[in-house]
């Protein structure tokens, strides 16, 4: 008996989910899993990339991630169906609910896979078979279940022969089951890394596992080389977390289709940076956070990794702001005096990162922030909604930029009393143009308070309250 970690992976998930939905809506429909079929691209225009494929399509050599045009050349009769993410999310949620019947510790790794901490089991294979069979009966699609003592080995085991299979990969089975596999099949080892190691005579996972770690680090870089060596030797985490911890940072990376260098920078880099910035900004907004530190990540053709960061004055989740910062950092890194392009380096991977996250439950604003940008008054006229009507026809003026900064937070002194609003030193450049303190009646002050309340501004504290948090602003 030993502590067991299961990895449950849906076979051809997107295709399977769509196939099951079609069969439930029409039991006489063709089961897409039994014919060459794939998900991805624009079905009407027949372009894009393959995101999922059936096993019959795999026999034609069709790979996930390859262009639809290429897949159609391999199999002209390939059936293409569009993506359906609402269906994917629905089946994914149902799958996780079912898995929690077998263990309270279920960690969802992606929309179609999860880890289960099964504790100490007498018959782990029998339990795994029970899980996969129940999923097939109740949900209509098949899964593979990998069994081991850590998450890495369990995941590798679930990727053995498919579909609808249970596999073990115990530590004592590594040399027999894992090491003979090609390096490209090792989780975390991409095709480019595998190709680079192959040029040094390392073709299998066993070749990398039995090499010195320092050799891999010299080829792939210190971090990547160390991680790959540990994975090849079956080392991984055994901790299954049932609840996602709040992310401390967000990043998106993408390997370039071809190397980016000085000559094609203007054509290829800005669109890629913009896309990555939008992806990171979207994730920040989904988490209702903003980032104070924005960074870029670059991996060169020699697999060296470089980063640059900038800490902002104010946190943001605006994609345009992220892109602007990242573009500036990228130009500095590549075109600067000691830039990578000066060293004749090329870029093969680009990333955008966001760190030092803040939740905007409370936010200090200036008086001008109380209006949308297009309706804010310039520094020459007072915000009419915040001032009582003056006895004279001429509106009172606000102080110059030198005396009142639009970036300064609203203070309690500026709002707590009508005297502060009427003060000639705070709100006017001419004492003669300001209303006197005695002209602000109690009724007018009450109207002012009511207007501030409607603006969700806590009168007298100088902060705007956002969100539902009940915590006090420090």
């Amino acid at each position: 008996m030993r502590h067991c970690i299961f990895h449950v992976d849906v076979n051809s998930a997107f295709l399977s989910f769509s196939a099951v939905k079609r069969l439930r809506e029409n039991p006489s429909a063709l089961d897409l899993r039994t014919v060459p079929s794939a998900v991805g691209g624009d079905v009407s225009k027949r372009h894009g990339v393959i995101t999922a494929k059936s096993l019959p399509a795999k026999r034609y050599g069709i790979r996930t991630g390859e262009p639809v045009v290429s897949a159609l050349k391999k199999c002209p009769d390939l059936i293409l169906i569009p993506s359906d993410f609402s269906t994917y999310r629905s089946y994914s949620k149902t799958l996780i609910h079912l898995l929690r019947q077998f263990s309270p510790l279920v960690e969802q790794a992606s929309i179609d896979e999860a880890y289960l901490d099964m504790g100490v089991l007498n018959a782990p294979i029998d339990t795994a078979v029970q899980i996969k069979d129940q999923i097939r009966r109740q949900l209509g699609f098949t899964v593979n279940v990998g069994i081991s003592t850590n998450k890495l080995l369990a995941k590798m085991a679930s990727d053995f022969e498919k579909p609808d299979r249970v596999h073990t990969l115990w530590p004592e089975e590594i040399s027999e089951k894992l090491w003979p596999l090609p390096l490209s099949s090792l989780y975390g080892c991409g095709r480019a890394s595998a190709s680079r190691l192959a040029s040094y005579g390392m073709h299998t996972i066993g070749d990398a596992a039995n090499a010195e770690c320092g050799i891999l680090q010299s080829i792939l870089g210190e971090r990547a080389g160390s991680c790959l060596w540990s994975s090849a030797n079956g080392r991984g985490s055994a901790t299954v977390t049932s609840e996602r911890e709040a992310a401390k940072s967000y990043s998106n990376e993408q390997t370039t289709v071809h190397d980016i260098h000085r000559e094609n920078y203007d054509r290829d880099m800005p669109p890629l940076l913009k896309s990555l910035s939008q992806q990171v900004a979207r994730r920040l907004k989904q988490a209702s956070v903003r980032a104070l530190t924005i960074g870029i990540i670059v991996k060169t053709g020699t697999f060296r990794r470089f980063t640059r960061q900038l800490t902002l004055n104010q946190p943001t989740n605006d994609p345009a702001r992220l892109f602007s910062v990242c573009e500036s950092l990228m130009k500095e890194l590549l075109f600067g005096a000691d830039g990578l392009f000066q060293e004749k380096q090329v870029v093969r991977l680009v990333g955008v990162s966001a760190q030092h996250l803040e939740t905007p439950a409370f936010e200090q604003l200036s008086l001008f922030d109380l209006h949308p940008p297009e309706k804010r008054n310039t520094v020459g006229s007072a915000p009419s909604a915040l001032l009582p009507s003056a006895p004279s026809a001429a509106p009172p003026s606000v102080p110059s930029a030198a005396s009142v900064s639009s970036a300064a937070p609203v203070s309690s002194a500026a709002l707590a009393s009508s005297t502060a609003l009427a003060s000639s030193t705070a709100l006017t450049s001419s004492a003669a143009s300001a209303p006197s303190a005695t002209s602000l009646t109690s009724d007018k002050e009450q109207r002012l308070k009511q207007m501030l309340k409607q603006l969700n501004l806590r009168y007298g504290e100088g902060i705007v309250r956002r969100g539902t948090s009940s915590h006090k602003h420090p």
Side-chain angles (χ1 to χ4, degrees):
M1 293 193 304
R2 64 179 98 192
H3 198 101
C4 297
I5 304 296
F6 285 7
H7 180 255
V8 178
D9 189 16
V10 181
N11 302 136
S12 303
F14 290 175
L15 186 78
S16 294
F17 294 155
S18 294
V20 171
K21 179 184 178 183
R22 286 162 61 106
L23 289 170
R24 288 187 171 175
E25 292 175 347
N26 179 12
S28 63
L30 174 67
D31 188 342
L32 296 172
R33 295 168 291 184
T34 65
V35 296
S37 60
V39 178
D42 186 318
V43 176
S44 61
K45 297 180 181 178
R46 297 165 77 82
H47 68 70
V49 297
I50 301 296
T51 58
K53 62 190 179 301
S54 65
L55 287 175
K58 184 177 181 180
R59 298 189 187 107
Y60 282 85
I62 294 172
R63 296 179 291 104
T64 299
E66 78 169 297
V68 168
V69 173
S70 173
L72 288 170
K73 289 180 180 178
K74 296 176 181 178
C75 179
D77 295 326
L78 183 70
I79 298 175
L80 291 172
I81 61 171
S83 299
D84 183 0
F85 285 97
S86 62
T87 294
Y88 305 158
R89 286 190 289 267
S90 175
Y91 278 111
S92 177
K93 183 177 180 180
T94 305
L95 171 65
I96 299 303
H97 178 74
L98 187 152
L99 293 178
R100 289 200 174 105
Q101 298 175 20
F102 293 90
S103 172
L105 292 177
V106 177
E107 178 180 332
Q108 185 168 6
S110 69
I111 198 168
D112 64 342
E113 60 179 326
Y115 296 99
L116 286 75
D117 187 332
M118 302 300 296
V120 177
L121 293 177
N122 291 320
I125 294 178
D126 292 343
T127 304
V129 169
Q130 181 185 355
I131 291 175
K132 78 171 185 64
D133 288 350
Q134 186 167 334
I135 291 172
R136 187 180 64 246
R137 286 194 308 269
Q138 290 187 210
L139 305 184
F141 50 82
T142 63
V143 301
N144 266 34
V145 182
I147 307 171
S148 191
T149 56
N150 67 45
K151 293 194 287 188
L152 170 70
L153 292 178
K155 181 175 178 65
M156 292 299 300
S158 70
D159 206 34
F160 291 164
E161 184 185 359
K162 298 180 180 181
D164 201 25
R165 295 286 190 273
V166 170
H167 300 285
T168 64
L169 183 53
W170 305 115
E172 63 270 18
E173 297 176 320
I174 289 176
S175 60
E176 174 191 352
K177 294 183 176 181
L178 184 66
W179 284 355
L181 300 176
L183 258 174
S184 58
S185 66
L186 178 63
Y187 179 63
C189 180
R191 290 191 183 95
S193 296
S195 176
R196 187 167 179 81
L197 290 172
S199 68
Y200 287 85
M202 286 178 268
H203 302 279
T204 66
I205 297 176
D207 291 337
N210 291 294
E212 291 185 12
C213 182
I215 293 177
L216 298 184
Q217 290 176 317
S218 67
I219 298 172
L220 302 177
E222 184 175 352
R223 179 182 173 187
S226 177
C227 288
L228 192 142
W229 185 84
S230 295
S231 297
N233 281 282
R235 300 179 183 179
S237 171
T239 302
V240 175
T241 306
S242 59
E243 294 184 5
R244 290 180 181 266
E245 295 182 1
K248 297 181 180 179
S249 65
Y250 290 94
S251 67
N252 280 75
E253 300 178 4
Q254 183 173 324
T255 301
T256 58
V257 176
H258 48 257
D259 293 341
I260 296 178
H261 44 78
R262 184 186 294 273
E263 286 70 27
N264 64 8
Y265 176 91
D266 290 336
R267 182 192 70 193
D268 296 340
M269 184 63 79
L272 180 54
L273 271 181
K274 187 173 185 178
S275 173
L276 291 169
S277 298
Q278 291 171 341
Q279 293 173 43
V280 172
R282 188 182 308 117
R283 296 173 66 191
L284 290 171
K285 290 179 179 180
Q286 288 173 346
S288 299
V289 295
R290 297 175 185 173
L292 193 61
T293 301
I294 307 302
I296 58 167
I297 304 155
V298 161
K299 185 183 286 185
T300 66
T302 56
F303 286 81
R304 294 169 62 195
R305 191 177 182 91
F306 296 85
T307 61
R308 291 291 185 273
Q309 295 179 343
L310 178 68
T311 298
L312 310 176
N313 292 327
Q314 294 291 334
T316 185
N317 56 17
D318 176 52
R321 178 66 170 141
L322 264 66
F323 172 63
S324 175
V325 171
C326 291
E327 188 175 37
S328 176
L329 291 172
M330 187 64 72
K331 288 181 177 179
E332 177 188 349
L333 174 61
L334 300 182
F335 294 98
D338 298 319
L340 298 179
F341 285 166
Q342 303 295 335
E343 302 175 4
K344 307 300 182 183
Q345 296 275 8
V346 297
V347 176
R348 69 177 306 275
L349 178 144
V350 177
V352 169
S353 66
Q355 304 176 52
H356 300 139
L357 309 181
E358 297 184 9
T359 303
F362 300 96
E363 186 177 358
Q364 287 196 330
L365 299 180
S366 72
L367 281 169
F368 302 104
D369 289 325
L370 296 174
H371 297 273
E374 67 275 8
K375 294 184 179 180
R376 292 177 188 166
N377 293 273
T378 59
V379 176
S381 60
S384 58
L386 291 180
L387 294 177
S389 57
S392 116
S397 62
V398 297
S400 67
S403 60
V404 175
S405 168
S406 64
V410 180
S411 66
S412 57
L415 298 174
S417 70
S418 60
T419 302
L421 287 172
S423 171
S424 61
T425 59
L427 287 178
T428 70
S429 57
S430 169
S433 64
S436 66
T438 56
S439 68
L440 297 176
T441 64
S442 175
D443 287 341
K444 291 179 179 178
E445 185 172 357
Q446 289 301 318
R447 289 205 307 273
L448 173 62
K449 291 181 181 180
Q450 183 63 29
M451 283 186 287
L452 293 175
K453 184 177 180 181
Q454 292 173 353
L455 289 169
N456 205 22
L457 179 67
R458 291 183 60 184
Y459 180 77
E461 290 191 18
I463 61 173
V464 170
R465 193 177 184 86
R466 297 278 175 84
T468 58
S469 172
S470 60
H471 298 294
K472 289 285 186 179
H473 183 67

